[in-house]
Amino acid sequence: MSAAPETLAGCVAALRAGTVSAAELLERSRARIAALDPQVNAFLGRTGELADRAAAAADRLLAEDPASAPPLCGVPVALKDVLCLEGAETTAGSRILGGFRPPYTATAVQRLLDAGAVVVGKTNCDEFAMGSSNENSAYGPVRNPWDLGRVPGGSSGGSAAAVAARMVPLSLGTDTGGSIRQPAALCGVVGFKPTYGRVSRYGLIAFASSLDQVGPLALTVEDAALGYLLIAGHDPADGTSSRSAVEDPLTGLGEGVEGLRLGVPREYFGVGLDPGVRAAVERALEVLRGLGATLEEVSLPSTDAALSTYYIIAPAEASSNLARYDGIRFGLREDRGSLLQTYLSTRDAGFGPEVKRRIMLGTYALSSGYYDAYYRKAQKVRTLISEEFSHVFERVDAIVCPTSPVTAFPLGTHSDPLSMYLLDVLTVPVNLAGLPGVSVPCGMVGGLPAGLQVVAPRFMDARALRIAHAYEQATEWHTLQPGGVEAAAT
C-alpha cells in the first residue's frame, strides 16, 4: 500500500502535475482507513457516494483547467464529528445524537468544500468534545498510532490519529481547552488553534461557546497554515466572528525567528511536567535560540487558577448548550408515560458519565445563590489571566512552552476525573484568553512524541505559525512516522 504523497502540499502539487488523480487519492485514503482503522478507531462514519462525487468533480476540473482549480481540489480531508455536514450523520461522539443528520453544513466545512476538498469521513472524539484522552466517546476510544495501547489525547483524538496514521493529509478539529493542540502533541502532528473569533463556529455542535474554536491538524506547519487560511474569515452567521482582515500566514511563513523575543513562562515548567518532556522542550528552545531568537523568562502568575476557572466556565456553558437534547428535537428518544419522564429517560440513556458530570457541575455553578461565588468569580479570574498575557506580550513577541505535561499514557490510566483535568493545565489558559496557539512535534520521549507550544497575541495567528515553521524546518521530528499501527496492520 502506497501512502505517498502524504502531506497536503504534496497532494496539491501532485494533483496539479497530473501524477495522481483525486479518485486515486480517495482510494488510497480509503485503503489506509480500511487497513488501519480497525486498530485505531479514528473514524465514526464515511461519506461514501458524497466523496465519490466530489472526487469525480475535482478530476473534471483538474483535467479542464488545473491552473484555475480551487486550492484543495481533490484532496481528501476528515472532519471531527462535532462539525455538521448536510446529510451526514453527526453524533458528537454521543448516543444522544445517534442518527442525527444535520440539514445544513458548518461554515468551516463549507469553506473546505468550496476549496475543492473531498470529505472522506467524520472522526471519533470525546463525547461533545469533553475529554483529554478520547476515552469518553460513546463509540469506543481512539488508539494512538504510535502505541495502540495508549490514548491519542483528546478531544480531537480521531482527527489527530487519522493524520498521524496517514489516512488523510488534513483534518479539522475543535479546541475548547486544548483539544487540537494536546492530541497533536501526543500523536506527533501539527495542531493549530486560531484566535477566538477567527474561524466561524456556525455549524459546530457547541460545548462551551465562549471557548470553542475550529482549527486544522496536519503533518506540517505549512499544511496547517493553508488549512487555516481557507477556513478563516468573517461569517455573518456567527455573532462572535471577527470582521478584521485575515493575515495570510503563508506569505511570511519562511521569515524565520531571527530578532524575535520569545517568552518562556516559568509556571509552565513546574511540578507535574514529565522530565523527558521538559528536556525535549528545553532542547527545542535552544534550537530557536540558535536560529536567532532571544529567549526571556516571563511570569504568568495566575496559571494555577486557570484550570479551576476553566472547569467552572466550560461546564456552565455546557449545561446550557446541552439542555436542548431532550429527546424531542434531536437523535435519541426514550418514550415514557409523560413528557418529563421522556426528558429524564432520554438524557439518562443518551449522555455518558463525563457529560453528566459536567452538566451537574455547570448547573450548580449557575444556580441561585452560587452564581456570584463561582461563575461570576471565574469570569473575573478569566479577565485577570487575559490581562497577564497582554502584559507579557508587551515585552515578548510570543510564548514558547510545552503543549502537554506528559506523553501519551496507557488507556485507563486516569480513572479519577481530577487527574485527567490536570493534563489540560498548559493549554486552557490560552483558550481563556482567546489566543492563537500551535503545537509542533519537538522530540521523542520513550518512543512517544512530545509537543512544543507556540502562543502569540490575539490575531497574530501568522506569527505563531511562522515561529513553529522555523523550528520545524530546523529539525526532523515532523518526518517521523508511527510504526506501531503499521506493524499491527500487516
Side-chain angles (χ1 to χ4, degrees):
M1 183 197 311
S2 173
E6 295 177 338
T7 66
L8 181 63
C11 288
V12 170
L15 286 162
R16 293 288 192 282
T19 57
V20 69
S21 70
E24 289 170 336
L25 280 183
L26 176 59
E27 286 311 307
R28 288 183 186 181
S29 178
R30 284 173 169 167
R32 288 195 67 79
I33 293 170
L36 306 179
D37 209 42
Q39 290 78 36
V40 179
N41 196 29
F43 280 83
L44 292 180
R46 320 281 175 81
T47 50
E49 292 182 3
L50 177 65
D52 288 328
R53 292 196 298 272
D59 279 332
R60 285 195 295 274
L61 282 173
L62 290 164
E64 293 168 0
D65 186 4
S68 61
L72 293 191
C73 191
V75 177
V77 302
L79 310 172
K80 184 177 180 179
D81 201 32
V82 293
L83 291 161
C84 290
L85 174 63
E86 182 179 355
E89 185 177 13
T90 303
T91 69
S94 178
R95 294 197 186 283
I96 207 164
L97 278 177
F100 171 60
R101 296 182 182 277
Y104 60 93
T105 295
T107 297
V109 176
Q110 187 59 55
R111 288 178 176 176
L112 283 189
L113 294 174
D114 293 343
V118 176
V119 176
V120 300
K122 309 294 289 295
T123 55
N124 202 350
C125 58
D126 285 299
E127 185 176 8
F128 285 102
M130 298 181 193
S132 307
S133 68
N134 230 130
E135 294 170 290
N136 294 331
S137 171
Y139 304 98
V142 178
R143 296 175 180 273
N144 194 311
W146 289 88
D147 183 337
L148 296 173
R150 295 175 183 266
V151 304
S155 62
S156 305
S159 293
V163 172
R166 276 60 174 174
M167 297 176 187
V168 289
L170 177 73
S171 64
L172 291 187
T174 61
D175 194 318
T176 306
S179 289
I180 289 175
R181 291 159 289 155
Q182 188 251 22
L186 270 54
C187 288
V189 300
V190 177
F192 180 51
K193 172 216 168 292
T195 298
Y196 181 81
R198 186 48 93 200
V199 178
S200 172
R201 293 181 299 107
Y202 176 77
L204 162 65
I205 296 176
F207 163 18
S209 302
S210 75
L211 297 161
D212 296 336
Q213 186 59 202
V214 182
L217 295 105
L219 289 174
T220 69
V221 176
E222 180 186 10
D223 288 356
L226 175 57
Y228 158 70
L229 180 62
L230 293 172
I231 63 175
H234 179 250
D235 176 15
D238 176 2
T240 63
S241 174
S242 172
R243 293 180 177 275
S244 62
V246 178
E247 182 181 1
D248 184 345
L250 296 171
T251 302
L253 196 64
E255 292 181 356
V257 296
E258 186 169 1
L260 291 184
R261 298 162 300 162
L262 304 181
V264 182
R266 69 172 70 98
E267 293 83 1
Y268 283 53
F269 290 80
V271 176
L273 180 62
D274 179 272
V277 174
R278 174 193 291 272
V281 173
E282 288 177 345
R283 287 193 293 271
L285 299 184
E286 289 307 311
V287 171
L288 288 167
R289 193 196 303 276
L291 293 172
T294 300
L295 300 182
E296 176 181 340
E297 184 179 83
V298 297
S299 177
L300 295 163
S302 296
T303 296
D304 285 349
L307 203 62
S308 54
T309 300
Y310 174 84
Y311 276 100
I312 291 174
I313 294 174
E317 295 184 9
S319 72
S320 175
N321 280 327
L322 271 60
R324 72 194 69 177
Y325 304 115
D326 53 13
I328 305 301
R329 290 165 289 185
F330 302 95
L332 180 70
R333 180 187 180 97
E334 293 282 328
D335 275 315
R336 294 295 184 266
S338 69
L339 184 61
L340 178 59
Q341 285 303 318
T342 296
Y343 285 163
L344 296 174
S345 297
T346 298
R347 290 171 69 83
D348 183 51
F351 289 137
E354 182 60 28
V355 171
K356 291 176 181 175
R357 181 180 297 113
R358 298 198 192 195
I359 288 174
M360 287 189 286
L361 282 171
T363 302
Y364 183 81
L366 292 175
S367 61
S368 177
Y370 297 98
Y371 181 91
D372 285 345
Y374 294 104
Y375 187 74
R376 189 183 299 279
K377 188 172 184 178
Q379 291 289 11
K380 291 179 179 177
V381 177
R382 180 180 189 175
T383 299
L384 182 63
I385 291 169
S386 182
E387 289 175 348
E388 287 179 359
F389 274 108
S390 296
H391 291 151
V392 166
F393 286 133
E394 291 174 358
R395 294 170 46 196
V396 299
D397 297 301
I399 289 170
V400 285
C401 57
T403 305
S404 168
V406 298
T407 56
F409 48 87
L411 290 155
T413 298
H414 294 283
S415 56
D416 171 22
L418 183 57
S419 70
M420 186 72 82
Y421 297 166
L422 287 170
L423 301 178
D424 301 334
V425 66
L426 304 181
T427 49
V428 294
V430 177
N431 297 79
L432 290 169
L435 305 171
V438 55
S439 181
V440 60
C442 73
M444 299 295 289
V445 181
L448 297 167
L452 171 71
Q453 182 175 209
V454 182
V455 182
R458 281 173 57 81
F459 299 113
M460 296 293 180
D461 303 68
R463 182 185 297 173
L465 290 164
R466 168 188 164 190
I467 296 167
H469 180 71
Y471 171 77
E472 176 192 77
Q473 294 304 298
T475 61
E476 295 184 345
W477 302 116
H478 64 288
T479 66
L480 301 182
Q481 296 188 30
V485 68
E486 301 283 354
T490 56

